[in-house]
Amino acid sequence: LAIRIKRSDFEAWCAPCVEVIKDTVTRALNKLKMSNGDLDKFTAIEIVGGATRTPFVQATIKECFGGRELSTSLNADEAVARGCALMAAIKGTTLRRVKEYTIKEKVQKGASRGISKKLLTQYRETEEALQEKDDAHRAASDARNMLEAKILAMPDGLSKLDAEDWLNDHYEDGVAEVYEEKHRELFGGAKRRRLQ
């Protein structure tokens, strides 16, 4: 479904959300025991989540923080997803390596409090492991898609049907080398270079 709407109409429909946003920011500041006078203690105000791309949401949050510029240096969607994955690992029972921790902001004068070096190292290791899994999944998807495109481009016949059956049977193997080996078997040539 594709439809064009005016920004003014969209903002009118979303007007009830403005008070919800203001209330949420106020409650967060109250939980931190901070008031509008303490806002200069923030070195940056990072906004995350897909809705923060909406201009009226940004304007509302900016207003809540006394007109301070907002930071959008993180990937808005990815930051939330990674934070959720980390919390799931902490709260879950499957991964035993991740331990509960808290993060406190750095004090403006440079005196650091909060997350210990050990926990930061554990977080980085978890982040690197997640990145490795992402990279492996991406490589497998690229190799599978390349093989699938070549199989679909084959002339109709028994070998094409066999190749399609093999692909269907091995669709979720998840290892790039499996698809690359089948590509060499079917089409010959050197090892396919993975997309980065």
Side-chain angles (χ1 to χ4, degrees), residues 31-82:
K31 204 168 189 176
L32 292 170
K33 296 180 175 52
M34 299 185 93
S35 65
N36 283 347
D38 297 323
L39 295 181
D40 61 332
K41 292 180 181 176
F42 290 104
T43 53
I45 301 164
E46 184 75 33
I47 54 175
V48 296
T52 61
R53 291 187 186 94
T54 311
F56 90 89
V57 171
Q58 291 179 2
T60 303
I61 296 171
K62 189 173 180 176
E63 180 186 323
C64 291
F65 285 97
R68 292 261 320 264
E69 284 302 313
L70 303 174
S71 176
T72 56
S73 61
L74 297 174
N75 179 317
D77 297 317
E78 207 172 88
V80 173
R82 288 184 184 275

Side-chain angles (χ1 to χ4, degrees), residues 72-180:
T72 56
S73 61
L74 297 174
N75 179 317
D77 297 317
E78 207 172 88
V80 173
R82 288 184 184 275
C84 290
L86 189 59
M87 283 308 297
I90 290 167
K91 299 283 185 193
T93 57
T94 309
L95 296 174
R96 295 280 179 202
R97 279 185 14 191
V98 182
K99 295 186 175 125
E100 187 172 343
Y101 70 95
T102 59
I103 298 174
K104 293 184 180 178
E105 294 298 321
K106 208 174 192 183
V107 177
Q108 205 169 19
K109 293 179 182 169
S112 180
R113 346 179 283 241
I115 192 166
S116 71
K117 190 172 184 177
K118 181 181 176 186
L119 289 174
L120 186 58
T121 302
Q122 288 175 341
Y123 173 73
R124 285 187 181 138
E125 288 172 357
T126 302
E127 184 71 20
E128 288 169 5
L130 289 172
Q131 188 62 50
E132 275 183 33
K133 280 185 173 181
D134 287 350
D135 292 345
H137 180 72
R138 190 176 300 110
S141 293
D142 291 344
R144 182 179 58 234
N145 290 340
M146 188 181 303
L147 177 60
E148 187 173 28
K150 291 280 275 218
I151 289 172
L152 292 174
M154 290 172 72
D156 287 336
L158 191 56
S159 61
K160 181 177 181 176
L161 290 174
D162 289 341
E164 287 174 342
D165 287 344
W166 182 92
L167 188 62
N168 287 332
D169 291 342
H170 294 83
Y171 198 77
E172 291 300 323
D173 283 353
V175 181
E177 286 76 15
V178 170
Y179 304 113
E180 291 169 349

